[in-house]
Amino acid sequence: MSTLSDLVSRHSDLGPADVEWLHLLVGDWQLISDLAFADLVLWLPTRTGDYVAVAQARPSTGATVHYDDIVGSSAPDGQRPQLERALDEVRIQRSREPRWFGTYAVREEAVPVVHGGRPIAVVARQTNLGGARTPSRLELNYVESADDLVAMISRGEFPSPNAPTGPRRGAPRVGDGLIRLNSEGEVLYASPNALSCFHRFGVLGSLVGRSLAEVTTELLEESTTMDESLPLVVMGRAPWRTDVEARGVCLSLRAVPLTEHGQRVGAVLLCRDVSELRRRERELITKDATIREIHHRVKNNLQTVAALLRLQARRMTSAEAREALFEAMRRVTTIAQVHETLSQALDETVDFDTLVDRSLRLAADVASAGASVRTVRTGTFGMVPAEDATALALVLTELVTNAVEHGFAGGRTGTVEIIAERTGSHLRSVVADDGVGLPADATGPMTGLGTQIVGTLIRNELRGRIDWTARPGGGTQVVLEVDLRERKLGRDGV
């Protein structure tokens, strides 16, 4: 399905500011749809004099009119005159008689969308009358609030450009609780769900006729950290969202100021009890901090082990034993660097490029024993899951060390290049050097401890394959191909 921007650019010549205004409207009009118990369709006048639907919203509080998506379709002939009058007169047009959609009647209203003092589109408000009954007090207040908001659309006062655009967990919706305020911040009406929210917060009795700011302030504890925007929200002065917490209860509040020709005449306040949601978020934050602390302590312990191996190696008289201990120290240090990176991350993934640049350069310097061998990385490894990071880091460290020790023996100089090609979860990595190359009688990789470790990790941990071949132009190249574990989704689904 085409996006709103695509449809607008295809059918009209609206400028970027007008398109952004339509995006703001569509991003916030679910509130109006729920309050009005009505479908909303955004009709855009086209260059050819037609009207095309570029966005659509269905109410969660009542029966829908359009069971199928109509975005991208043209306005029916019976509806077009009403849309044209709304656009020409810049005034809300209400049909005298309902229009029939098959077996049910629909009450229609056309609202001009005004931006910068001129109409740029029309919102059709369509209410399914199939289940019509005597409205309750709650429904009457819902519809009155919706009427105020659509009138603001026709005057270019809604949506508010100052409203927050970033998502926030626990944002309240109409059914969670609604409060109507007058211009002084006094409660005109509170829905049953809203009253329940504030009763759990500690409010006794009815809210009607009371200043919501005073009621909320009385319940806040002296030691409570208060959001600076709270007074503006509870008085309905700013189109913001905030949380208020006291006595173990947390309410999410969102204010939608109501204006008339620039003068604030009241506000709609949505509220939701998010106590359990905030408690779970705090638990997750605590768990994240605990996991990072564990990685930090593991890193410290591994560095201690590496230091002990270094001390022991220096006391060895056997050159072979001393070299074996230094190699063990290098491997432990590589694992420690993975845990250090994990201790600084917010999730269980590793920025492998940073890790590779640091650890492989160190491995080459140690293995070259004073010779001038440089390492170059090409491409990107990206974010690697923690389950694969340790094994992959060890494999690459062993391959670079092996390339330096065998390819540049005797003080030769040269370059070791690490090439990374990442496609989704598939990783192809090449470790190539311009050293002496493989022995003439070699039929595969060497059989030393390092290559045995590499083979075991490739088969058992990374579930991949590895090939040693001669590098064109001289030297050796090792090609590693693995399918990394899929990255787990975060708490927000990303």
Side-chain angles (χ1 to χ4, degrees), residues 14 18 50 137 140 186 212 214 216 219 244 274 296 329 342 344 360 399 401 447 458 481:
L14 291 181
D18 292 333
D50 196 3
R137 187 184 176 196
L140 289 173
E186 296 174 343
L212 192 62
E214 294 179 1
T216 305
L219 297 173
V244 55
V274 292
H296 180 71
M329 179 203 69
L342 287 170
Q344 299 169 356
L360 297 191
L399 292 178
T401 303
T447 58
I458 292 294
E481 295 199 40

Side-chain angles (χ1 to χ4, degrees), residues 52-354:
V52 62
V54 296
Q56 176 183 3
R58 298 182 179 89
S60 61
T61 52
T64 185
V65 172
H66 302 285
Y67 291 92
D68 298 322
D69 286 330
I70 64 172
V71 173
S73 63
S74 297
D77 293 337
Q79 190 179 8
R80 193 172 302 163
Q82 188 186 49
L83 300 178
E84 291 175 349
R85 287 196 304 271
L87 204 63
D88 293 339
E89 300 177 13
V90 196
R91 186 164 54 90
I92 297 176
Q93 303 292 324
R94 295 181 174 88
S95 57
R96 292 190 178 93
E97 298 294 333
R99 191 157 63 96
W100 286 86
F101 280 64
T103 59
Y104 55 88
V106 174
R107 184 172 62 243
E108 293 183 314
E109 183 177 299
V111 183
V113 178
V114 175
H115 180 235
R118 58 188 179 83
I120 59 175
V122 182
V123 170
R125 173 180 170 182
Q126 299 175 305
T127 307
N128 188 333
L129 301 178
R133 57 185 175 83
T134 303
S136 65
R137 187 184 176 196
L138 178 142
E139 292 169 343
L140 289 173
N141 277 277
Y142 274 18
V143 173
E144 288 178 12
S145 299
D147 290 341
D148 292 336
L149 290 171
V150 296
M152 291 172 60
I153 293 177
S154 70
R155 295 190 296 266
E157 299 173 353
F158 186 89
S160 173
N162 298 322
T165 57
R168 182 169 179 174
R169 297 188 56 158
R173 299 186 66 174
V174 169
D176 296 324
L178 177 138
I179 295 175
R180 295 184 67 193
L181 304 175
N182 63 15
S183 59
E184 301 300 323
E186 296 174 343
V187 178
L188 299 176
Y189 171 78
S191 71
N193 284 347
L195 197 57
S196 296
C197 286
F198 277 87
H199 281 174
R200 285 192 290 272
F201 195 63
V203 176
L204 301 178
S206 174
L207 285 173
V208 176
R210 303 169 67 179
S211 170
L212 192 62
E214 294 179 1
V215 170
T216 305
T217 303
E218 291 173 358
L219 297 173
L220 294 178
E221 301 168 355
E222 292 184 1
S223 59
T224 302
T225 302
M226 186 182 70
D227 190 341
E228 294 180 354
S229 65
L230 178 61
L232 297 175
V233 172
V234 295
M235 293 187 69
R237 295 180 180 273
W240 297 338
R241 280 198 301 265
T242 188
D243 283 358
V244 55
E245 187 170 2
R247 300 173 178 84
V249 177
C250 183
L251 299 185
S252 178
L253 306 175
R254 180 198 175 188
V256 182
L258 302 177
T259 61
E260 187 172 337
H261 302 292
Q263 298 296 318
R264 188 171 53 85
V265 296
V268 171
L269 189 76
L270 304 179
C271 59
R272 179 187 176 190
D273 185 348
V274 292
S275 305
E276 181 64 17
L277 184 62
R278 294 294 179 260
R279 184 186 65 80
R280 292 181 181 179
E281 288 178 346
R282 284 192 290 268
E283 287 180 354
L284 289 173
I285 292 173
T286 301
K287 289 179 180 178
D288 287 344
T290 301
I291 292 172
R292 288 198 296 271
E293 178 62 21
I294 290 173
H295 284 304
H296 180 71
R297 294 187 182 187
V298 170
K299 181 262 298 184
N300 289 343
N301 291 338
L302 289 173
Q303 286 181 336
T304 301
V305 172
L308 293 174
L309 290 173
R310 185 185 300 107
L311 290 174
Q312 186 66 36
R314 290 172 177 173
R315 298 174 66 89
M316 299 297 294
T317 56
S318 169
E320 183 178 357
R322 184 166 55 251
E323 181 62 25
L325 287 176
F326 275 126
E327 288 184 359
M329 179 203 69
R330 186 194 69 239
R331 291 163 185 145
V332 171
T333 301
T334 299
I335 299 174
Q337 288 176 344
V338 174
H339 282 279
E340 181 181 14
T341 304
L342 287 170
S343 70
Q344 299 169 356
L346 295 177
D347 54 9
E348 288 292 286
T349 57
V350 176
D351 182 0
F352 209 77
D353 295 326
T354 303

Side-chain angles (χ1 to χ4, degrees), residues 15-36:
D18 292 333
V19 176
E20 179 63 23
W21 186 260
L22 295 180
H23 275 289
L24 289 174
L25 173 62
V26 171
D28 216 15
W29 71 349
Q30 185 63 50
L31 164 68
I32 302 176
S33 179
D34 291 341
L35 287 172

Side-chain angles (χ1 to χ4, degrees), residues 295-457:
H295 284 304
H296 180 71
R297 294 187 182 187
V298 170
K299 181 262 298 184
N300 289 343
N301 291 338
L302 289 173
Q303 286 181 336
T304 301
V305 172
L308 293 174
L309 290 173
R310 185 185 300 107
L311 290 174
Q312 186 66 36
R314 290 172 177 173
R315 298 174 66 89
M316 299 297 294
T317 56
S318 169
E320 183 178 357
R322 184 166 55 251
E323 181 62 25
L325 287 176
F326 275 126
E327 288 184 359
M329 179 203 69
R330 186 194 69 239
R331 291 163 185 145
V332 171
T333 301
T334 299
I335 299 174
Q337 288 176 344
V338 174
H339 282 279
E340 181 181 14
T341 304
L342 287 170
S343 70
Q344 299 169 356
L346 295 177
D347 54 9
E348 288 292 286
T349 57
V350 176
D351 182 0
F352 209 77
D353 295 326
T354 303
L355 179 65
V356 164
D357 293 343
R358 185 173 66 235
S359 62
L360 297 191
R361 189 181 302 112
L362 177 62
D365 291 343
V366 173
S368 60
S372 177
V373 177
R374 66 189 187 99
T375 58
V376 177
R377 174 175 62 84
T378 304
T380 178
F381 288 89
M383 302 301 292
V384 175
E387 298 91 337
D388 294 326
T390 300
L392 185 59
L394 281 172
V395 167
L396 292 175
T397 301
E398 292 294 336
L399 292 178
V400 170
T401 303
N402 186 72
V404 173
E405 289 180 346
H406 297 282
F408 303 101
R412 290 171 57 95
T413 62
T415 301
V416 177
E417 184 178 12
I418 302 94
I419 304 171
E421 299 174 1
R422 179 79 178 267
T423 305
S425 61
H426 182 74
L427 173 65
R428 182 179 186 272
S429 182
V430 179
V431 178
D433 66 76
D434 54 3
V436 298
L438 293 171
D441 57 347
T443 59
M446 282 71 73
T447 58
L449 176 60
T451 52
Q452 291 179 11
I453 292 175
V454 167
T456 300
L457 291 174

